[in-house]
Amino acid sequence: EAELNCSSSDESANILQNVEGNYTFAGTVLNGTNMWDFAVSTMDSAGNILQSNAYGTNLSEYANYIIQLPDAGYAVVGYVQNSTKDVLVIRLDQNGNLIWSNTYANPDDDYARKVILTDDGDLCVLASSYSQNISTSVAYVLRIDLSGNLIWSNTYEFTYNSRVKDIVFDNNGDYIAAGVNGIYGLLMKLDKTNGTVIWSNNYGTSPGAASWSSVVSTNDGGYLLAGENSGIGAGVKDISLMKTNS
């Protein structure tokens, strides 16, 4: 077990094994002015910290997800607390030096949850958007290039208490998003060129409430989903797996 010498309130987001065989993780740290910053650290297999950097402004920034890029650098996503919460994406080189930092503003509060590297070398960012209209839930998906330029962004509205939790790309390079739409498990396919919905399906059996937490694209062109279902199994909530065709 290894700990960074940080404040008592610091949090880690996710961790990956990098191309050098070490472990890099993103998180959020409290700085000296009581504001929150993105933080990225790398440790070796023995738990020794090789490098640790914080990235912040005079605002608070919260990191949620990190991936490694083909140049061995990193992309980190989260959000910045401004007058509203806005999606924040930073790109780092292999040594942790900041290449660029961009915010992507929507009228509502937006929280970037995940980023993937697409098959054609761009970044696809999955965010949740929260508006004053409490009767609906909104997913916010952005495609940006590796220079931080926005290619497109779209919002997708669902019933209240819904959420898109995971996104991948399929064998055609289009985006597959999974989550929950009300009491039903949600799976939808987005056109990679502009983000329009190609199809969207709900899955579930009454009175059970299905929710997908992760999705993978399978070799046969279908999709495998994992999540939970309540009300139809032995427990209050049960692990649920589902396989679909294309």
Side-chain angles (χ1 to χ4, degrees):
E1 180 178 348
E3 291 187 7
L4 293 178
N5 185 19
C6 302
S7 79
S8 60
S9 300
D10 301 330
E11 296 181 355
S12 178
N14 73 309
I15 190 168
L16 58 84
Q17 186 169 27
N18 64 30
V19 295
E20 297 176 329
N22 298 312
Y23 301 94
T24 298
F25 56 97
T28 304
V29 296
L30 190 64
N31 64 29
T33 61
N34 286 324
M35 305 296 281
W36 296 94
D37 293 334
F38 274 24
V40 176
S41 302
T42 297
M43 66 172 60
D44 62 20
S45 59
N48 301 305
I49 301 299
L50 304 179
Q51 66 178 28
S52 184
N53 295 304
Y55 311 88
T57 63
N58 60 339
L59 302 171
S60 283
E61 298 90 8
Y62 304 84
N64 285 330
Y65 208 86
I66 184 172
I67 60 171
Q68 190 161 38
L69 301 175
D71 65 355
Y74 301 92
V76 189
V77 300
Y79 65 95
V80 56
Q81 176 70 64
N82 208 327
S83 56
T84 60
K85 297 178 176 68
D86 297 322
V87 168
L88 176 62
V89 182
I90 69 172
R91 182 179 174 185
L92 310 173
D93 68 17
Q94 187 174 7
N95 298 314
N97 300 306
L98 182 67
I99 299 175
W100 52 257
S101 174
N102 283 346
T103 58
Y104 304 88
N106 209 29
D108 301 316
D109 286 337
D110 304 309
Y111 304 78
R113 299 186 176 277
K114 184 178 181 179
V115 60
I116 61 172
L117 183 71
T118 66
D119 65 334
D120 43 12
D122 291 324
L123 298 174
C124 178
V125 180
L126 171 64
S128 294
S129 184
Y130 296 90
S131 71
Q132 299 302 315
N133 183 3
I134 61 173
S135 64
T136 61
S137 298
V138 177
Y140 183 33
V141 178
L142 310 88
R143 179 177 173 178
I144 61 178
D145 65 24
L146 289 183
S147 297
N149 300 306
L150 180 65
I151 300 173
W152 55 257
S153 66
N154 281 336
T155 57
Y156 309 89
E157 190 171 292
F158 304 99
T159 59
Y160 174 68
N161 202 27
S162 301
R163 182 176 298 174
V164 177
K165 299 181 179 182
D166 196 17
I167 195 164
V168 297
F169 64 86
D170 68 6
N171 297 342
N172 298 318
D174 292 316
Y175 305 146
I176 301 298
V180 58
N181 184 13
I183 63 170
Y184 298 102
L186 170 71
L187 184 66
M188 66 176 183
K189 181 172 183 174
L190 308 178
D191 189 322
K192 67 176 181 180
T193 61
N194 53 25
T196 57
V197 177
I198 298 174
W199 50 255
S200 180
N201 292 327
N202 293 325
Y203 303 90
T205 56
S206 179
S211 175
W212 306 124
S213 299
S214 62
V215 58
V216 294
S217 180
T218 55
N219 292 336
D220 61 3
Y223 312 102
L224 181 64
L225 299 106
E228 65 183 35
N229 209 315
S230 60
I232 61 172
V236 175
K237 290 185 178 180
D238 299 295
I239 294 171
S240 182
L241 299 175
M242 185 181 76
K243 172 73 170 64
T244 76
N245 59 21
S246 58

